[in-house]
């Protein structure tokens, strides 16, 4: 009799614990934690905005836009509400920023893999250099390349964001 009561008590206590362990994260307000990026040359300044009152555990990944698994930057860290932006330098190319943050002492989550934000996509400009700069002529230049170069010069700095 004691053995069956002990089994019943153990099962009764285990069921709520399992439900908590496998419960879906609480619905977080998307504006509580956000990420934005500003591109200047080959530097990407990433700003986490933590509007909660506590630190959050985060992951930031910058990957080739065509192959999300080919990451050029992947970092896990604890982010406090008053932390400063940080800069990552990457080569020319097309990239995708994915991120997530989880409450350290809670159940809320934010980010691209948590459904509260979209990935940030950006392409760093490529300026062709044929080495022939002595005569000032555009030479035999493809008009499409000229539009890309002029667009990059006009942009100067590109601010991107995710909410």
């Amino acid at each position: 009799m004691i053995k069956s009561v002990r089994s019943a008590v153990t099962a009764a206590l285990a069921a709520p614990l399992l439900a908590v362990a496998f419960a879906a994260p609480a619905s977080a307000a998307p504006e509580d934690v956000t990420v934005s990026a500003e591109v200047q040359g080959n530097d990407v300044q990433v700003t986490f905005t933590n509007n909660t009152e506590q630190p959050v555990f985060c992951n930031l990944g910058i990957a080739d836009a065509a192959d999300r698994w080919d990451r050029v930057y992947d970092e896990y860290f604890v982010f406090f509400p008053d932390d400063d932006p940080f800069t990552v330098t990457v080569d020319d190319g097309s990239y995708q920023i994915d991120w997530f943050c989880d409450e350290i002492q809670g159940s809320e989550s934010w980010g691209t893999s948590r459904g509260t934000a979209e990935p940030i996509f950006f392409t760093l400009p490529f300026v062709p250099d044929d080495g022939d700069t002595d005569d000032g002529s555009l030479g035999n230049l493809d008009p499409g390349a000229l539009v890309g170069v002029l667009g990059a010069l006009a942009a100067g700095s590109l601010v991107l964001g995710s909410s």
Side-chain angles (χ1 to χ4, degrees):
M1 179 75 170
I2 293 175
K3 187 174 185 179
S4 64
V5 169
R6 184 178 301 158
S7 297
V9 169
T10 302
L13 291 175
L17 290 175
L18 285 174
V20 169
F22 293 104
S27 178
E31 65 276 0
D32 284 349
V33 178
T34 61
V35 170
S36 62
E38 181 178 339
V39 178
Q40 184 92 22
N42 285 72
D43 293 333
V44 181
Q45 183 180 31
V46 178
T47 303
F48 274 81
T49 302
N50 181 354
N51 293 319
T52 70
E53 294 182 8
Q54 62 180 316
V56 291
F57 174 75
C58 299
N59 170 257
L60 177 81
I62 301 176
D64 182 299
D67 181 5
R68 287 185 45 203
W69 302 111
D70 185 12
R71 290 191 171 207
V72 297
Y73 181 83
D74 193 20
E75 185 73 34
Y76 289 91
F77 52 91
V78 174
F79 190 79
F80 293 86
D82 59 352
D83 279 352
D84 293 326
F86 59 93
T87 301
V88 177
T89 302
V90 295
D91 294 331
D92 288 348
S94 294
Y95 296 96
Q96 174 177 337
I97 298 176
D98 286 299
W99 64 279
F100 72 80
C101 293
D102 296 320
E103 281 185 324
I104 293 175
Q105 296 180 355
S107 61
E108 293 192 297
S109 297
W110 304 267
T112 57
S113 63
R114 304 300 196 247
T116 64
E118 295 294 322
I120 300 170
F121 294 92
F122 65 95
T123 300
L124 296 178
F126 174 75
V127 179
D129 181 13
D130 63 352
D132 185 18
T133 59
D134 58 339
D135 65 359
S137 168
L138 292 177
N140 198 3
L141 185 64
D142 174 26
L146 180 60
V147 170
V149 170
L150 292 177
L153 290 175
S157 173
L158 180 62
V159 177
L160 308 165
S162 172
S163 56

